[in-house]
DNA sequence: CTGTTAGCGCATTCAC
DNA sequence: GTGAATGCGCTAACAG
């Protein structure tokens, strides 16, 4: 690979001049500019990103820590960010946190070692204090899935409590009172918040919360299947199941059908997230729309504005999810 | 962030010695090693990845070009690679090719600019010649979704033809002869190969290929829905639908149900890929298992072996997908 | 408008 | 075992 030096020799100018035409950092006489460009072309020259980063102390890349690379949920967030950033020629460096503290810290560190200009963090295990310290130490980052009161400007909040609330409320509004709940892993803030919303809706409707009707899953379809099976077998009076995400709702639906019950005639089901496939399940899943892609985009814009000084409209206000009515909810029938 | 220089001063040794303890590149007296390590710890020193890469001319990172960041298909490939590479402390730099030639070339170039030690490429638009040139120019890369005869050592082949073949054969074996086919975008090699397999199965069974029963989709659920609708409305004699991927199969199922038909009693459906959700749809989708995660892992091992000189078992032989029988296929009923 | 010079933070000879 | 010196490829003052 050709270097800037070779280009400068071929074009018979100095290193600095070549650098100038590459970065458009100062006026260059049209004639010499053309000579340089021709030389670059002739040599197939491409700037060495690494060297540029070292010399300029900026990498034009933003790091993104995501729990896992698979799954439609994280994929669309990443995709949202990527599309926004690429327009500004910023690159995304993705690292997985695997939902455990050590890996998350490693991911953040390695992103910093690489001199990422900013970080977008979707964390699950690292605790607030660590992040408050991180903010103090001057690291530029935006949190996409939680709100920390001490550093609100670093958070894009999503109102999970509200989401959990309207999900259960949708069931209650249809007349359900015996509602099972399959939560996500409760040490994850989102799971905990969604459950809070569920309880709030019950309380508001004067329905006592029944701990037996709550099962803690792990956001995977398989756990939805298993827990729904347990719930259904032990509590035949249940007429509805609220699930903390769509995947678990799919699993729950399978368990329901396996018992010869129909959805929504016998059991109503509501999910959460509104992932891509939920419009294509059978029955089409009623769920809470969680604006994953938009959050990814918003995080990217936050970075563009706050780190790269671009002019963007960004709000770190709390975004509210909303109900998407489809076919998996009906009024309870007499049993 | 502390630099190696500050560490050397605090430990009262030379830069070189610090570098040696960091990289374990030569013998260092235990005593001085400890002094250096203490100094590093005290300063919270972390090596500057960028500087290391520039000086050593290797980045310990492998670039991965993927069509899109969203979608469960690519997600699990990436995840497979990431898990393997992280064990060897190699990082993954992911870039999206967006299924068009310019973006794919840009992605490759930007990965090379970053001095990625190796590339894993999942391309859709770039033509063979470009890749043959790339191989000649000494770039280390492995192709994960296509086979190019001229550079077999750079390809991890998947037998898509065979997959398409066994999918349709599964239908034929159940007694179907009137089989609609919803393909992927036919300019993509995988889509084309799967269709080839479909035709081969028909031919082998002595069933003439009917061009009216073939519709070209785009691998998205929505296209499966639309095209199945057209197929069903125009050709009521069809008893089965083969789809080039699971997403389109989901869409097709919706179209079928909308017409009051049941799956598999009235219409059998088979998908392709066996993505995570297909075990949880209703009916559970019969499909062709495409070992996405394994391919990602294999590509990573190829890199570890061929680029980093590690000892790994790697075969670039053609991997064959296989049939996963679930509930969306039955024998055709009289109409 | 253009050239010279000095680093960026580190790895890597080559001496001692 | 350890230190001094050189350079990776480029940017960024500073002159001119």
């Amino acid at each position: 690979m050709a270097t800037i030096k070779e280009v400068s020799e071929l074009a018979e100018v100095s290193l600095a001049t070549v650098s100038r035409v590459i970065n458009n950092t100062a006026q260059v006489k049209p004639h010499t500019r053309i000579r340089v460009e021709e030389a670059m072309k002739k040599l197939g020259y491409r700037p060495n990103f690494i060297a540029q980063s070292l010399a300029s102390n900026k990498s034009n890349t933003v790091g993104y820590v995501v729990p896992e690379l698979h799954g439609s949920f994280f994929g669309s967030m990443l995709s949202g960010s990527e599309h926004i950033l690429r327009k500004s020629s910023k690159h995304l460096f993705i690292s997985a946190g695997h939902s455990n503290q050590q890996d998350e810290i490693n991911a953040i560190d390695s992103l910093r070692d690489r001199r990422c200009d900013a970080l977008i963090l979707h964390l699950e295990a690292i605790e607030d204090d660590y992040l408050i310290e991180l903010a103090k130490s001057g690291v530029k980052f935006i949190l996409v899935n939680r709100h920390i009161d001490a550093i609100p400007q670093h958070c894009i909040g999503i109102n999970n409590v509200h989401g959990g609330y309207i999900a259960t409320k949708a069931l209650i509004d249809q007349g359900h009172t015996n509602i099972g709940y399959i939560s996500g892993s409760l040490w994850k803030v989102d799971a905990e918040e969604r459950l809070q919303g569920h309880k709030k809706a019950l309380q508001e409707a004067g329905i006592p919360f029944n701990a037996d009707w709550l099962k803690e899953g792990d956001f995977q379809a398989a756990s939805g299947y298993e827990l729904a099976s347990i719930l259904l077998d032990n509590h035949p009076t249940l007429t509805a199941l609220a699930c903390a995400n769509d995947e678990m709702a799919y699993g729950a639906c399978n368990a329901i059908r396996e018992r010869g019950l129909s959805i929504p005639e016998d059991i109503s089901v509501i999910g959460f997230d509104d992932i891509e496939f939920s419009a294509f399940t059978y029955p089409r899943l009623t769920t809470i729309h969680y604006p994953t892609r938009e959050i990814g985009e918003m995080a990217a814009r936050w970075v563009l504005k706050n780190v790269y000084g671009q002019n963007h409209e960004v709000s770190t206000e709390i975004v509210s999810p909303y109900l998407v009515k489809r076919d998996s909810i009906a009024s309870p029938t007499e049993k």
Side-chain angles (χ1 to χ4, degrees), chain A:
Chain A
M1 297 227 124
T3 73
I4 207 175
K5 181 142 173 281
E6 302 176 48
V7 174
S8 75
E9 283 165 359
L10 204 160
E12 297 178 306
V13 294
S14 72
L15 291 182
T17 301
V18 177
S19 177
R20 283 184 191 109
V21 347
I22 293 172
N23 300 299
N24 251 308
T25 178
Q27 289 301 318
V28 178
K29 203 193 288 181
H31 178 66
T32 57
R33 167 180 294 275
I34 289 173
R35 278 238 310 282
V36 171
E37 282 170 347
E38 278 173 354
M40 294 199 299
K41 194 162 185 182
K42 197 163 181 176
L43 295 169
Y45 171 78
R46 306 207 98 235
N48 181 325
F49 212 98
I50 300 285
Q52 284 182 316
S53 299
L54 184 62
S56 66
N57 198 32
K58 52 183 289 235
S59 59
N60 279 313
T61 113
V62 357
Y64 200 133
V65 179
V66 72
E68 292 296 343
L69 295 178
H70 57 261
S72 20
F73 188 84
F74 307 126
S76 44
M77 278 202 185
L78 288 172
S79 193
S81 293
E82 195 260 349
H83 278 269
I84 297 292
L85 293 175
R86 74 158 24 235
K87 288 184 200 158
S88 297
S89 301
K90 308 301 179 195
H91 295 258
L92 207 52
F93 196 102
I94 303 166
S95 200
H98 301 298
S99 303
N100 74 71
Q101 183 162 324
Q102 197 50 58
D103 282 4
E104 289 184 350
I105 290 179
N106 289 345
I108 292 177
D109 284 345
S110 89
L111 259 18
R112 294 181 62 193
D113 293 346
R114 265 165 211 281
R115 297 302 185 265
C116 286
D117 300 325
L119 304 180
I120 300 176
L121 304 177
H122 190 129
L123 271 14
E124 296 191 320
I126 285 181
E127 67 274 16
D128 289 1
D129 287 346
Y130 185 95
L131 296 168
I132 295 171
E133 275 312 308
L134 199 64
K136 271 190 198 149
S137 72
V139 176
K140 319 269 194 190
F141 68 90
I142 178 81
L143 283 170
V144 292
N145 66 326
R146 70 159 106 170
H147 188 84
I148 299 177
D149 287 336
I151 46 171
Q153 72 284 16
H154 286 273
C155 309
I156 289 182
I158 294 296
N159 203 331
N160 275 297
V161 178
H162 181 67
Y165 169 77
I166 55 180
T168 296
K169 189 168 184 316
L171 259 12
I172 294 173
D173 286 348
Q174 284 284 331
H176 294 275
T177 54
N178 296 0
I179 303 171
Y181 189 85
I182 299 179
S183 77
S185 316
L186 288 174
W187 57 271
K188 297 187 183 178
V189 281
D190 352 30
E192 172 56 28
E193 289 171 355
R194 291 174 186 190
L195 174 58
Q196 269 179 44
H198 168 68
K199 290 181 177 170
K200 183 179 157 202
L202 291 178
Q203 184 177 12
E204 199 178 281
I207 303 171
F209 171 72
N210 184 337
D212 291 340
W213 295 351
L214 162 67
K215 294 290 174 195
E216 180 178 348
D218 62 4
F219 283 133
Q220 311 273 348
S223 79
Y225 172 80
E226 286 163 28
L227 298 174
S229 301
I230 295 173
L231 244 20
L232 258 20
D233 292 342
N234 296 342
H235 309 288
T237 58
L238 291 176
T239 60
L241 249 34
C243 302
N245 76 349
D246 288 355
E247 277 96 329
M248 293 196 297
Y250 301 166
C253 286
N254 268 29
I256 293 169
R257 279 186 216 105
E258 255 187 35
R259 282 159 181 72
L261 301 170
S262 335
I263 308 163
E265 291 75 13
D266 300 313
I267 305 278
S268 288
V269 175
I270 188 165
F272 202 120
D273 283 347
D274 190 27
I275 62 176
E276 197 187 352
F277 296 135
S278 298
F280 291 95
T281 55
Y282 179 72
R284 292 159 59 244
L285 191 67
T286 295
T287 187
I288 304 300
H289 183 78
Y290 192 93
T292 41
R293 185 174 197 89
E294 288 76 6
I295 293 172
E297 294 175 347
M298 211 183 301
R301 276 194 224 96
W302 182 94
V303 169
L304 254 20
K305 176 177 180 182
N306 293 287
V307 179
Y308 293 114
Q310 294 185 10
N311 192 18
H312 280 267
E313 290 255 348
V314 181
S315 77
T316 52
E317 273 172 41
I318 291 186
V319 179
S320 282
Y322 56 85
L323 179 67
V324 178
K325 290 187 188 177
R326 287 200 275 252
D327 312 326
S328 65
I329 289 191
S331 297
T333 51
E334 303 302 322
K335 288 214 181 182

